[in-house]
Amino acid sequence: MLGLSAKNTRLLFFVVFLVAFAPFLMNPFPTDSAMAQFNAGYPDLMQRFVIFGIFAIGFNILFGLTGYLSFGHAAFLGVGSYAGVWMFKLLGMNIIPAIMASVVVAGLLSVIIGFVCLRRSGIYFSILTLAFAQMMFSLAASVLTPITGGETGLTLSLSDPRIFGAGAVDGNIPVPGFFGLEMRSTYELVMGSWSFSFNVGYYFCALIMVLAFYASIRIFQSPFGLMLRAIKTNQTRLNYTGLNSRPYTLAAFVISGMYAGLAGGLMVAMDPLAGAERMFWTASGEVVIMTILGGAGTMIGPVLGAGAIKYMENIVSKINKAILEQWFAFMPDGMQDVFVTLVYPFIGKGWHLTLGVVFMLVIIFLPGGLVEGGQRIRSIFSRKKTEDTPADGAKTPAE
């Protein structure tokens, strides 16, 4: 179905189910309960889940298939963001031209950077990509201030021409939309103590992510994807056969960069602001962690890794000392203080410490990431089911 194997078709429909019912899945606790702080079903965070999922899917095409580790992919995310905002400023507030410009500009930049960096492999390739990304960050933050807005970022203003779009509405800057449908439009569904948000911007990004995920599956199971796997397995031996691997690695690099540009365009489509911080080396490191945490080389792993990190960044970071004291209020005062003191460094501003511990445990015990963890759990249950089921042809003793 859809040109996919039965296994990949089930995986695609599983992703469709997750993104379609995310408002329900991300809000499992009633709004008036103590556990409501763990709900993640608000529009801004759900948008980040799918946008960074796209970013990680694209990075996985390069790193997961070819083994080339880029430390500079945030450059394409940032360039895509700037291109999108400029389309809003010059043309109008329709998100389609902005997204298209983001993908094209990021693709052109990735051709240039990839052509230079792919002359080397291994750690030298990684350092080259990092150097290019930091150069782009410096240019955006200082040298190209008239184009990028410098450290304050590129924003919309009332004086923007917007040739094909509407001007200010009631003295306010217009918001991004899809042929009149505003991305910020949200419908609230209240069911008893539960509240669910259905946001237009989220579902638009979710649709794009599903299409991007489908495209990545087709790449993975194509002859092109098989060639990329051969490059990762042993590029030297492949070169000895007479095949030139560089066009394949460059194509993978450009596709990956266009995915990053798409993510950058969607970010400004939801919030029309582009800043140089999106091109900093930490942003490139974040997508590396997302991919490895979820499972590099797997299809759904990067999506899971992006969701896990963005959840910790936005939910775990909100837990403060007062909430911890409420959690351990049932303990005697002395013991309560001990537990609060032990847990407090891992929450709030210390959520990076929690991420580091989780990442370390995954690397040690689950080298295949969260996907490997799910496979192990499934194998345990399937083994139990097999043990409980009599083998074919086995005879039951007479009583």
Side-chain angles (χ1 to χ4, degrees), residues 376-388:
R376 290 188 183 184
I377 295 174
R378 185 179 62 181
S379 64
I380 292 174
F381 284 100
S382 61
R383 190 185 309 121
K384 288 183 178 180
K385 185 177 180 180
T386 303
E387 292 173 353
D388 295 339

Side-chain angles (χ1 to χ4, degrees), residues 163-188:
I163 301 172
F164 302 111
V169 179
D170 297 330
N172 297 319
I173 299 174
V175 297
F178 179 67
F179 297 104
L181 190 61
E182 294 184 359
M183 291 294 102
R184 66 182 182 183
S185 298
T186 303
Y187 171 72
E188 296 287 341

Side-chain angles (χ1 to χ4, degrees), residues 50 143 242 253 334 360 363 379 394:
V50 294
V143 179
F253 191 89
M360 180 182 65
I363 292 297
S379 64

Side-chain angles (χ1 to χ4, degrees), residues 105-292:
V105 172
L108 293 175
L109 179 65
S110 61
V111 171
I112 299 172
I113 294 179
F115 182 79
V116 176
C117 295
L118 288 170
R119 294 177 178 273
R120 294 292 180 266
S121 60
I123 188 61
Y124 304 104
F125 167 81
S126 302
I127 295 301
L128 279 173
T129 56
L130 176 61
F132 269 102
Q134 286 302 101
M135 284 191 291
M136 297 298 297
F137 167 76
S138 298
L139 289 173
S142 58
V143 179
L144 299 179
T145 297
I147 300 176
T148 63
E151 295 181 353
T152 58
L154 184 64
T155 59
L156 303 180
S157 66
L158 293 174
S159 60
D160 293 333
R162 281 187 283 275
I163 301 172
F164 302 111
V169 179
D170 297 330
N172 297 319
I173 299 174
V175 297
F178 179 67
F179 297 104
L181 190 61
E182 294 184 359
M183 291 294 102
R184 66 182 182 183
S185 298
T186 303
Y187 171 72
E188 296 287 341
L189 175 63
V190 179
M191 300 175 62
S193 299
W194 281 267
S195 178
F196 307 102
S197 299
F198 299 89
N199 177 255
V200 172
Y202 163 72
Y203 277 104
F204 181 86
C205 294
L207 176 61
I208 299 297
M209 196 207 77
V210 170
L211 295 176
F213 184 72
Y214 171 73
S216 72
I217 295 177
R218 296 300 300 266
I219 291 173
F220 266 71
Q221 66 180 24
S222 67
F224 172 69
L226 185 62
M227 182 62 70
L228 296 182
R229 287 192 179 90
I231 293 171
K232 180 179 181 180
T233 302
N234 196 320
Q235 186 173 359
T236 303
R237 183 176 297 176
L238 184 66
N239 291 334
Y240 284 158
T241 65
L243 288 173
N244 185 7
S245 60
R246 187 173 298 172
Y248 294 95
T249 54
L250 180 59
F253 191 89
V254 173
I255 292 172
S256 183
M258 293 173 72
Y259 267 79
L262 174 61
L266 289 174
M267 289 179 71
V268 297
M270 302 303 109
D271 182 15
L273 169 66
E277 70 280 354
R278 288 180 184 169
M279 310 172 76
F280 198 55
W281 68 268
T282 53
S284 297
E286 188 177 43
V287 73
V288 175
I289 296 175
M290 289 176 182
T291 306
I292 297 176

Side-chain angles (χ1 to χ4, degrees), residues 23-140:
F24 298 102
L25 299 175
M26 294 291 101
N27 275 349
F29 305 110
T31 55
D32 55 355
S33 69
M35 301 297 289
Q37 60 193 341
F38 291 105
N39 288 340
Y42 51 92
D44 180 67
L45 182 53
M46 291 193 296
Q47 291 168 7
R48 288 180 174 271
F49 283 157
V50 294
I51 290 173
F52 279 91
I54 293 172
F55 189 20
I57 289 170
F59 181 80
N60 189 48
I61 293 174
L62 177 67
F63 176 55
L65 286 181
T66 69
Y68 277 76
L69 177 58
S70 170
F71 285 143
H73 251 52
F76 309 121
L77 181 75
V79 167
S81 298
Y82 283 121
V85 175
W86 271 110
M87 288 299 100
F88 288 143
K89 293 171 74 69
L90 297 177
L91 298 183
M93 299 307 295
N94 193 311
I95 62 176
I96 298 302
I99 293 173
M100 292 176 62
S102 299
V103 175
V104 171
V105 172
L108 293 175
L109 179 65
S110 61
V111 171
I112 299 172
I113 294 179
F115 182 79
V116 176
C117 295
L118 288 170
R119 294 177 178 273
R120 294 292 180 266
S121 60
I123 188 61
Y124 304 104
F125 167 81
S126 302
I127 295 301
L128 279 173
T129 56
L130 176 61
F132 269 102
Q134 286 302 101
M135 284 191 291
M136 297 298 297
F137 167 76
S138 298
L139 289 173

